[in-house]
Amino acid sequence: MIVTHERAEAYALGDRMALVMAGTTSQTGEVGEVMDTPVTAAAARALGFDNLLPASRIAPGTYQLSDVRHLHLPGITVGPAALIAIRAEHLMLRTRETIPGMLAEGSTLAGTVTEAVPEGPLTRTRVRLPDGST
């Protein structure tokens, strides 16, 4: 058994993991399963998901995010309301001019950059979506 607070270490060394929060086991399973599919918003934040976007189910496996964007998640079966958790490393910031055709495909969200803070080699960026969420 290894106890760590480092996600990279858990991925590299573990086969199974238990996520312990406030002295209680909140989720257990294979490392990849726990890291990629947190069961609560608190677990998602603890596992590095900084972007939790409210969504509504509009059809099986299809969720509506802010404004009119739809996200297709085949095989996902949650209730009518959900939080979609997206890690920062899975996002790309682009201007409308650099992504022709992508807006129509539903693979983007419109937003306004409200803050960009350099943090060493990375920049933490806050984007406001049309519904006001960040």
Side-chain angles (χ1 to χ4, degrees):
M1 178 187 292
I2 297 172
V3 177
T4 184
H5 292 98
E6 298 295 327
R7 288 191 330 247
E9 191 173 56
Y11 265 122
L13 300 176
D15 293 320
R16 295 189 53 80
M17 72 178 287
L19 179 62
V20 178
M21 299 177 61
T24 303
T25 302
S26 63
Q27 187 173 352
T28 62
E30 293 182 12
V31 173
E33 173 191 351
V34 173
M35 293 287 208
D36 294 339
T37 56
V39 295
T40 65
R45 286 184 188 95
L47 293 169
F49 288 93
D50 292 328
N51 305 292
L52 299 177
L53 305 174
S56 302
R57 184 179 63 206
I58 58 173
T62 302
Y63 292 82
Q64 181 169 336
L65 299 175
S66 174
D67 66 19
V68 296
R69 303 291 176 234
H70 295 172
L71 183 63
H72 301 285
L73 302 168
I76 301 296
T77 55
V78 297
L83 284 177
I84 305 297
I86 306 171
R87 283 201 174 98
E89 60 265 28
H90 296 146
L91 296 174
M92 292 176 52
L93 291 178
R94 301 286 182 147
T95 64
R96 286 184 185 268
E97 294 77 27
T98 62
I99 52 171
M102 289 183 73
L103 292 174
E105 296 171 14
S107 59
T108 64
L109 287 172
T112 303
V113 173
T114 60
E115 181 180 37
V117 178
E119 294 182 355
L122 304 174
T123 300
R124 181 172 295 273
T125 306
R126 183 173 301 275
V127 177
R128 186 178 58 251
L129 300 178
D131 69 359
S133 63
T134 58

